[in-house]
Amino acid sequence: MKKHIYIFASLLLVSGMAFAQKGNTKRADKLFELRAFTDAAELYETKNRTQSVLQNLADSYYYNSSLQKAVKTYRELFLEYGDSIDIDYHFRYGQALKGVKNYKDADKHLTMYYRKPVNTNAFIQSLEKTTPHVFNLEQIVNEGSSSDFGLTFYGDNQVAFASARNTDNPAYVWNNLPYLDLYNGKLTDDNKLVDIKPFSEAINTSSHESNAIFTQDGKTMYFNRTNETRTKTGDVKIAHIKIYKAELVDGAWTNVTALPFTSDAYSTEHPALTKDDKTLYFASDMPGTLGSFDIYKVAINDDGTYGEPINLGPTINTVHREQFPFLSEFNVLYFSSIGHEGYGGLDVFRSNMVNGDFDKPVNLGSSINSNLDDFAYVVREKDNMGYVSSNRGGFDRMFGFAREVNPLTIYQVEGVVKDKNSSELLTGSLVTLFDESDTVIQDAIVGDDAYYIFKIEPNKKYKIRGTRKAYIPQDVEFSTDSKGKVQHNIYLNLESFADAETRIKEKERGVQVELEEIYFDFDKWDIREDAAQVLNVLVDIMKKYPSMEVEVSAHTDVRGPDEYNLNLSKRRAASTLEYLVSQGIDRDRLKSIGYGETQPLNKCVKEGICSDDEYNENRRCEFTILK
């Protein structure tokens, strides 16, 4: 929808063409194909209002951010040719309507496009209640230029950015502004750019350069550069974008090379580095995307080579544009998207990394996002400051921001773990926080006060679980979406197995499942039919409580050789475990051990001092709950 094709689409190098013959439809179509949207719109306005003319005219206004004109033309298009219009025009018309804040009509067209209800006002109202931060934006004063974007950190005291300030450059047909170059400068305390200098000619060429980033030591730069030659893509020739690498040698940028996974057949753009400089994130429309531009990552190997680019997948990427990735020092991914629900145009989103994967993106809210394009977000998390670019004023502008925690939306879940029946505080219990995909987010062992607290995120679904040895786990699901709350106080009341089941008793040797005596034939360890009936009671209990883990132990009396008794008890315990497994109990939930004659229940520790009944008391199987 934008004047800056370098933001979201492949660039075209077209200049010095004479566009006369305003009455020639083919001339207007050619200009449209070449993305010369301003000149194309002027010609289309003089033509008969056919369907193709109205489609291209509306799109020309849309891509050049003349949204009032785009809305008017799309409206005419749908009134005249609504039944025969491709579904993608509903999306662009909806985005144009969002751009002029006509959310009611926008929702009608976006609902048709997505084939499910869209309610932007409800989304905005919900987001305002759940946005974790408030951003205080201040436009950066940048004299001598009317279009700049992509301000980024460059060393300790400098910044780098892309600008169309060089009037010696040829004009770009998309927006009639000079081609982009890269600059560095300093920011004063009153948010003014000073000491602005262009990067050397090794970096800035006759083409577009933008989106510079730097390694931690400042000796390597990655940046965008548009190809000088065009490659036919579909029906038009396009000059795609590549990511280049440059090295700082003796104070000069040199060894400028395109990265090996770039191509003349597609674009790679908007590089971003992890804090350790070992992974590069970028946007691309290479084959295999979900649609338009997706966010990718690629490993940077120790020898300077690169791995294979990996698409971040459908949690982050949509069938529309995702661009401008940025990885903060906390491994939080920030990016801009027109595909996720937002205010209009590109919005800035964030996604946390959880167990190696990024979770569902969250819109950063109206204090930073507008109804037009907001992009190139960078932040220093610890300082709560950063920069963002936006064309909300008609041209690309750079803004500095201070970020504050929204006091109305401090997201947390807290509570206490107690015994369900006695209300005793269960010190030492484990509390675990899961996301909606059952991935562990955080966990903690509660202290003497049995209290836990976790920070959580907006617009998410969670599950909290309390566990303790010999207790039944408790799960509680909750949400921070529009139907949920910002803060949750969840008391976990755990019930012991001993309280829940009459056959489970707390004994000196632990919490045990009491069963009738299991008998084995003399010098045998196979499970008899009467023993199986007894063990089936344990099978039923373990199936009732899927988290229960049990130690199966076998014991003998003192009569007979020590080693013989020990080996016999091991075989009987193992045989008992195998029977339980045969009845559907997971082997990982069981442990078998033979104690031989080492754990008598009475004083019968030698042969010849007790009656047969007393010795038989020590011949037993026990089932102790481990978890």
Side-chain angles (χ1 to χ4, degrees):
M1 150 178 169
K2 315 309 168 268
K3 292 185 281 292
H4 36 276
I5 192 169
Y6 46 85
I7 288 180
F8 66 87
S10 303
L11 301 181
L12 295 149
L13 299 178
V14 183
S15 61
M17 297 181 66
F19 300 124
Q21 303 176 24
K22 287 189 176 182
N24 191 329
T25 304
K26 292 183 179 179
R27 181 73 67 181
D29 293 340
K30 184 64 174 179
L31 287 168
F32 182 81
E33 290 176 3
L34 294 175
R35 308 305 197 259
F37 294 120
T38 299
D39 294 326
E42 290 181 0
L43 283 181
Y44 281 129
E45 283 287 9
T46 67
K47 309 304 177 189
N48 294 327
R49 315 289 269 194
T50 65
Q51 180 174 345
S52 62
V53 165
L54 287 174
Q55 288 177 169
N56 289 354
L57 177 60
D59 282 350
S60 294
Y61 288 137
Y62 172 77
Y63 289 126
N64 241 2
S65 296
S66 299
L67 297 185
Q68 292 286 359
K69 292 181 178 180
V71 166
K72 179 182 177 181
T73 310
Y74 280 128
R75 182 182 296 119
E76 182 180 352
L77 172 65
F78 275 91
L79 285 173
E80 293 292 332
Y81 304 101
D83 293 338
S84 60
I85 297 174
D86 187 85
I87 190 67
D88 287 339
Y89 287 93
H90 284 283
F91 179 81
R92 290 195 287 276
Y93 188 17
Q95 290 296 327
L97 287 163
K98 275 190 172 185
V100 298
K101 297 186 177 181
N102 183 348
Y103 294 131
K104 182 179 179 181
D105 289 341
D107 290 346
K108 294 177 183 178
H109 288 274
L110 294 176
T111 293
M112 294 183 68
Y113 176 79
Y114 287 111
R115 297 181 181 179
K116 63 180 182 180
V118 175
N119 189 332
T120 302
N121 280 320
F123 164 77
I124 292 173
Q125 290 174 11
S126 171
L127 191 62
E128 296 307 302
K129 297 176 183 178
T130 58
T131 303
H133 293 107
V134 175
F135 297 85
N136 299 309
L137 268 63
E138 184 177 350
Q139 185 173 322
I140 291 170
V141 179
N142 190 9
E143 296 178 356
S145 178
S146 60
S147 183
D148 312 272
F149 78 98
L151 197 69
T152 191
F153 307 109
Y154 178 34
D156 294 332
N157 302 310
Q158 288 187 298
V159 291
F161 62 98
S163 177
R165 67 180 54 229
N166 186 358
T167 56
D168 291 336
N169 283 345
Y172 181 45
V173 295
W174 180 287
N175 54 16
N176 291 328
L177 291 173
Y179 276 26
L180 294 164
D181 282 336
L182 282 168
Y183 294 80
N184 64 76
K186 295 181 180 179
L187 269 178
T188 64
D189 292 338
D190 58 352
N191 231 29
K192 184 176 182 179
L193 270 172
V194 297
D195 298 335
I196 298 171
K197 299 176 183 177
F199 280 85
S200 67
E201 292 183 357
I203 303 299
N204 289 326
T205 67
S206 58
S207 187
H208 288 288
E209 282 82 26
S210 65
N211 294 94
I213 59 162
F214 305 86
T215 53
Q216 293 293 315
D217 61 10
K219 295 182 179 179
T220 302
M221 177 201 303
Y222 295 91
F223 65 97
N224 290 351
R225 177 181 289 166
T226 305
N227 292 349
E228 292 187 358
T229 58
R230 291 179 285 137
T231 303
K232 190 169 185 179
T233 301
D235 295 329
V236 297
K237 288 186 176 181
I238 297 174
H240 290 287
I241 302 169
K242 290 182 180 178
I243 298 174
Y244 282 75
K245 174 184 176 181
E247 297 175 342
L248 189 63
V249 179
D250 296 329
W253 290 105
T254 186
N255 300 329
V256 180
T257 55
L259 298 190
F261 52 84
T262 62
S263 172
D264 291 335
Y266 54 80
S267 288
T268 51
E269 58 186 29
H270 309 153
L273 284 167
T274 52
K275 186 179 180 180
D276 61 7
D277 294 331
K278 292 184 177 181
T279 306
L280 183 77
Y281 286 74
F282 62 96
S284 178
D285 61 349
M286 66 175 60
T289 65
L290 275 69
S292 189
F293 279 79
D294 283 358
I295 306 294
Y296 286 78
K297 67 177 180 179
V298 65
I300 302 175
N301 301 319
D302 292 339
D303 61 0
T305 60
Y306 298 84
E308 291 294 324
I310 299 172
N311 189 299
L312 294 195
T315 299
I316 299 299
N317 295 314
T318 71
V319 297
H320 296 289
R321 290 183 287 123
E322 280 72 45
Q323 297 171 291
F324 294 97
F326 175 78
L327 271 293
S328 77
E329 66 267 32
F330 296 154
N331 271 339
V332 178
L333 172 66
Y334 296 91
F335 65 99
S336 289
S337 172
I338 198 172
H340 293 285
E341 193 167 13
Y343 293 84
L346 289 168
D347 275 7
V348 182
F349 293 80
R350 66 171 285 169
S351 175
N352 295 328
M353 182 175 284
V354 179
N355 293 336
D357 293 314
F358 289 109
D359 62 3
K360 183 180 178 181
V362 176
N363 189 300
L364 294 195
S366 63
S367 63
I368 194 165
N369 288 317
S370 69
N371 57 311
L372 295 177
D373 283 336
D374 307 286
F375 55 97
Y377 175 101
V378 298
V379 65
R380 283 181 172 156
E381 304 270 18
K382 293 181 179 179
D383 299 329
N384 281 307
M385 61 77 62
Y387 311 113
V388 70
S389 301
S390 178
N391 72 339
R392 65 188 65 184
F395 289 95
D396 293 335
R397 293 283 191 271
M398 300 181 296
F399 296 81
F401 64 77
R403 188 181 69 176
E404 300 176 355
V405 174
N406 187 342
L408 300 177
T409 57
I410 299 175
Y411 289 85
Q412 64 186 37
V413 57
E414 60 182 336
V416 174
V417 188
K418 291 184 176 183
D419 185 288
K420 179 179 179 180
N421 295 292
S422 70
S423 295
E424 176 187 356
L425 296 177
L426 294 180
T427 299
S429 298
L430 173 67
V431 182
T432 308
L433 180 69
F434 299 85
D435 66 12
E436 60 183 322
S437 63
D438 251 7
T439 300
V440 175
I441 306 296
Q442 303 176 65
D443 56 26
I445 303 294
V446 299
D448 292 341
D449 56 2
Y451 172 77
Y452 72 90
I453 184 170
F454 297 126
K455 290 184 178 180
I456 51 180
E457 296 285 337
N459 302 312
K460 301 289 178 67
K461 293 180 180 178
Y462 293 98
K463 178 173 66 180
I464 199 87
R465 173 178 294 166
T467 55
R468 183 179 176 85
K469 181 180 177 181
Y471 276 76
I472 304 168
Q474 182 188 10
D475 288 356
V476 179
E477 296 182 351
F478 63 99
S479 171
T480 58
D481 60 18
S482 59
K483 299 178 181 179
K485 297 187 298 184
V486 171
Q487 298 184 355
H488 294 260
N489 197 316
I490 299 175
Y491 282 79
L492 295 169
N493 297 301
L494 307 186
E495 185 172 26
S496 69
F497 288 122
D499 287 334
E501 295 289 335
T502 57
R503 287 187 176 273
I504 299 177
K505 304 292 184 182
E506 290 190 31
K507 297 188 175 184
E508 184 179 344
R509 297 176 304 283
V511 179
Q512 295 183 344
V513 181
E514 285 192 339
L515 301 178
E516 297 176 18
E517 187 61 57
I518 295 177
Y519 294 101
F520 295 90
D521 290 333
F522 178 74
D523 199 27
K524 300 292 184 182
W525 50 87
D526 53 302
I527 301 298
R528 301 186 342 185
E529 185 176 345
D530 57 340
Q533 292 179 1
V534 174
L535 289 175
N536 285 342
V537 176
L538 178 59
V539 169
D540 291 341
I541 291 174
M542 293 193 73
K543 287 183 176 180
K544 183 177 179 181
Y545 303 108
S547 67
M548 181 185 289
E549 297 179 7
V550 171
E551 177 190 275
V552 178
S553 60
H555 305 261
T556 68
D557 61 41
V558 75
R559 294 174 293 186
D562 294 354
E563 186 173 353
Y564 169 82
N565 286 337
L566 180 62
N567 289 333
L568 180 61
S569 66
K570 287 180 179 179
R571 293 188 183 101
R572 287 177 172 176
S575 179
T576 303
L577 183 149
E578 291 301 328
Y579 177 79
L580 296 172
V581 171
S582 74
Q583 300 304 301
I585 303 302
D586 193 324
R587 188 181 299 276
D588 291 340
R589 298 172 59 195
L590 298 165
K591 175 183 178 182
S592 72
I593 187 166
Y595 287 101
E597 60 190 59
T598 62
Q599 294 187 2
L601 297 176
N602 54 30
K603 62 181 180 180
C604 303
V605 295
K606 294 193 300 182
E607 291 191 60
I609 64 173
C610 295
S611 66
D612 286 346
D613 287 342
E614 288 175 314
Y615 282 122
N616 287 342
E617 185 181 349
N618 291 327
R619 295 171 55 195
R620 68 198 189 275
C621 278
E622 292 180 337
F623 306 94
T624 304
I625 295 176
L626 300 174
K627 180 179 176 182

